[in-house]
Amino acid sequence: LTYIQNQLALHNDADLTLVFGHHPVTDTGVSTDTWLYYGAQTFISLLDQYGVSSYDYGHTHRYSDVLFAGDAYTGQMTNDGVVYLNSASLGKSTSNHFSVIAIDCNGISSKTQKIASWPLVLITTPVNYDLGGVTNPYAYGVPVAPNNPIRALVFDSNTVSQVRYRVDGGTPWYSMQSVPGNPRLWEAQWNNSGSTGGVHAIEVQATGSSVASDVITVHVDPALTDADHDGIPDWWENEHGGTN
């Protein structure tokens, strides 16, 4: 615990802090699971104090991606909580899954998938508004604008012939382009000038070894300002130091 506190203090100026551990921090509801015992409450208070963005763990070999903001066992966190990602294991569990975690404009996205199942599609911008059935406190609202960026990582053992997106499960599909210098990153600009405010679904579909998709929800907010017209709200850029 002293080591963890010292490391968090040493990097207290970081935009994001991701902590990786083995065990879940609290009871999972499964009687055969174990979780943190000694120092659990202190550990969670340190994550809270230093504004840790995510805690990623394994041990149970079951996938879940939720928001954890404390409970009766660990004590409640006073801030927004952490992204709480449980990765199904590669090589030990029979499901043989792996996880990809991506950071785009200081927004965290993840995808867990079975090995040798291609392509893997992970939308990195916008950040998913839903996090395990609750509102993601780290997702930004999307302005009403002609050029909202949509970006996705696509991994495949074979050539990816097409990547496209659609909104709210409708038609048409819109093409996405490979980003120069990063062939696994694809992007497009979503013109939602005629969109209504509220929650909308974005699906990115890739065609490679097979056809696969990633679907997220976003919250469109007509009240958001976007002075440089890059599709990222001004408040997010001010808080997170730009869009790189």
Side-chain angles (χ1 to χ4, degrees), residues 80-177:
D80 289 326
V82 295
V83 176
Y84 191 52
L85 174 63
N86 181 11
S87 296
S89 69
L90 174 62
K92 186 171 183 178
S93 64
T94 56
S95 55
N96 287 325
H97 287 78
F98 67 100
S99 295
V100 174
I101 302 173
I103 298 172
D104 189 338
C105 295
N106 282 340
I108 301 174
S109 304
S110 68
K111 186 69 171 289
T112 293
Q113 189 159 306
K114 185 179 292 186
I115 61 172
S117 174
W118 303 110
L120 181 147
V121 184
L122 171 59
I123 299 173
T124 65
T125 292
V127 175
N128 197 352
Y129 184 69
D130 177 85
L131 183 57
V134 302
T135 299
N136 183 355
Y138 301 110
Y140 50 82
V142 174
V144 174
N147 56 349
N148 288 289
I150 296 176
R151 286 189 289 272
L153 287 168
V154 180
F155 297 92
D156 202 318
S157 58
N158 294 313
T159 300
V160 175
S161 60
Q162 176 179 253
V163 179
R164 56 185 187 167
Y165 79 93
R166 65 178 178 177
V167 179
D168 292 333
T171 54
W173 288 90
Y174 299 95
S175 295
M176 299 180 68
Q177 306 301 319

Side-chain angles (χ1 to χ4, degrees), residues 24 27-35 59-60 62:
D27 190 350
T28 65
V30 177
S31 61
T32 55
D33 287 345
T34 53
W35 52 90
H59 183 65
T60 70
R62 293 187 307 274

